Amino acid sequence: MWGRRVAIGWIFGMAVLPVFSPAQQLIWRDQGRVRNLILPCDSGYSLVKLRITQQIDYSVTLSGGIYLNWEHDLNANQVMLMQDLVYLCRGETKKRFRFIEKVTHHLGFQYFFDSISRFHVDDNQFETRIECQIGKHHSAFLSALISTRLFNSYRFSKSDSGLLVRTMTSSFLTPMTLLFSGGIQLNWPFFGSLNIGLTSAKLTWIRDKEIYEALETEIFYGVRKGEDALFEYGLSIQFLINHDLLKWLHWDCDLLIFKKTDLPPDISMRNNLGFRLTKLMKARIQTRIYYEEQVRETVQLENIISVGLVVTL
């Protein structure tokens, strides 16, 4: 009787094992199958294949300036610490679907000796994108881009009595901009892409309502006093470049144009040139161009040159 039970159990196990055991496979990145979805009559070939790649670029730089007998700026002696973080997660399936998660963080701390300290660069973005390949170099996409700063920003001035007065000009989620876009993407392999947002919408939200009293204004980034947010509809164009010009020179550019129905376009561009000096040292030239008529009627330009340590994971 005991031998009969063992034989029956062995036959049942051999019959069931080939059907269910492949579904236990879990492989990371592009080494093979991520999950095996099969039917009892299936051959065991995976129906879903997913390739996930991740990349983290982090750099930190320290710079300073000390002046003696300097007639232009009496409080020009300073130290500046800056960190840059870019996290990119990309997933792709055999069905020509892709999703991209990107986090960009630029933060600089500037300290003037015997004077003030401030966060001079505070730029943070979180982007989610879904793409569907419809041609060799064409894709349909949906994207959402959130932008905000983390710390308060102040404008410093002197009162009639000579005291230093600071006025808050922006803060966390003040403002926060959320740009939705959907349309067609044109790809240039190993160079960049052009995203044409056939339908786009921009949401501007003000969290801290005290900003209106601090600046003594009725409108802040297009949002009127007493309102929470501003919703705008229009078209968008985004030009992205991520390419190695040389082995030691990398070009990263992000140009975003949002055209509203009855106002001039909003323009935002971030252009970075990275020079690889050694394996762990890198020099960078960062240029930011920003224009929005509701904020300022002139084009704002910022250039930063830095040298520091870089870690890529």
Side-chain angles (χ1 to χ4, degrees):
M1 180 64 68
W2 176 255
R4 184 182 304 174
R5 292 180 180 178
V6 173
I8 294 175
W10 181 81
I11 295 174
F12 178 80
M14 293 298 294
V16 174
L17 183 60
V19 175
F20 292 96
S21 61
Q24 304 299 321
Q25 296 185 8
L26 178 64
I27 306 298
W28 176 246
R29 294 183 181 269
D30 58 344
Q31 302 296 325
R33 305 172 182 174
V34 173
R35 189 180 179 188
N36 207 338
L37 304 177
I38 62 174
L39 299 175
C41 59
D42 192 10
S43 61
Y45 182 75
S46 176
L47 299 180
V48 177
K49 284 190 176 181
L50 178 65
R51 178 185 178 186
I52 298 179
T53 59
Q54 299 182 82
Q55 181 178 344
I56 299 178
D57 294 332
Y58 178 79
S59 63
V60 57
T61 58
L62 177 65
S63 61
I66 299 177
Y67 303 89
L68 297 177
N69 299 324
W70 192 253
E71 298 180 358
H72 301 284
D73 298 315
L74 297 179
N75 296 321
N77 298 337
Q78 59 179 285
V79 174
M80 183 174 181
L81 177 67
M82 179 177 293
Q83 67 173 4
D84 301 290
L85 172 66
V86 178
Y87 169 75
L88 180 64
C89 178
R90 182 185 180 95
E92 186 173 4
T93 69
K94 291 295 184 179
K95 296 296 184 179
R96 297 184 176 182
F97 285 97
R98 293 187 295 270
F99 72 87
I100 298 174
E101 300 285 346
K102 184 177 181 181
V103 179
T104 305
H105 167 71
H106 304 290
L107 182 63
F109 179 77
Q110 192 174 28
Y111 173 71
F112 292 85
F113 299 149
D114 299 329
S115 182
I116 63 175
S117 59
R118 62 176 183 174
F119 291 99
H120 176 55
V121 178
D122 191 351
D123 185 17
N124 308 274
Q125 289 187 341
F126 179 79
E127 181 178 8
T128 301
R129 175 184 295 269
I130 301 176
E131 301 176 0
C132 178
Q133 194 78 23
I134 58 178
K136 185 176 181 180
H137 300 297
H138 304 79
S139 304
F141 76 92
L142 292 173
S143 67
L145 178 63
I146 300 176
S147 302
T148 183
R149 67 179 297 119
L150 298 179
F151 299 95
N152 295 344
S153 175
Y154 297 96
R155 181 179 64 227
F156 294 89
S157 60
K158 288 187 177 181
S159 63
D160 296 336
S161 58
L163 298 177
L164 191 64
V165 178
R166 68 177 189 177
T167 303
M168 186 176 67
T169 58
S170 59
S171 63
F172 177 62
L173 299 179
T174 307
M176 183 275 293
T177 59
L178 175 58
L179 180 63
F180 299 96
S181 183
I184 303 298
Q185 182 184 66
L186 307 178
N187 300 304
W188 290 278
F190 308 107
F191 185 77
S193 62
L194 175 64
N195 303 322
I196 303 176
L198 302 178
T199 175
S200 300
K202 182 179 180 182
L203 175 67
T204 304
W205 182 54
I206 306 300
R207 180 191 64 88
D208 190 355
K209 303 302 186 297
E210 296 181 358
I211 193 70
Y212 296 97
E213 284 74 18
L215 298 178
E216 299 180 353
T217 182
E218 296 293 327
I219 301 179
F220 183 69
Y221 280 83
V223 183
R224 294 188 175 275
K225 185 177 180 180
E227 299 179 356
D228 294 328
L230 173 66
F231 186 81
E232 301 169 291
Y233 178 80
L235 303 175
S236 66
I237 296 178
Q238 186 178 26
F239 184 50
L240 299 172
I241 297 177
N242 192 357
H243 181 64
D244 289 327
L245 300 178
L246 298 170
K247 292 183 178 181
W248 49 271
L249 178 59
H250 182 78
W251 184 19
D252 183 7
C253 180
D254 184 354
L255 172 62
L256 178 61
I257 301 175
F258 177 73
K259 178 64 175 69
K260 291 162 281 190
T261 54
D262 55 348
L263 293 175
D266 299 339
I267 301 175
S268 176
M269 188 185 78
R270 296 172 175 83
N271 187 74
N272 296 323
L273 290 176
F275 303 86
R276 178 71 66 173
L277 304 179
T278 64
K279 186 176 181 180
L280 296 178
M281 291 193 64
K282 187 177 182 180
R284 179 178 297 176
I285 301 177
Q286 304 180 59
T287 302
R288 293 182 59 198
I289 298 177
Y290 182 79
Y291 173 77
E292 186 173 351
E293 187 183 59
Q294 296 177 346
V295 179
R296 184 178 296 178
E297 296 182 354
T298 58
V299 178
Q300 303 179 56
L301 175 65
E302 178 185 62
N303 290 301
I304 299 177
I305 302 176
S306 59
V307 179
L309 299 176
V310 177
V311 178
T312 301
L313 301 176

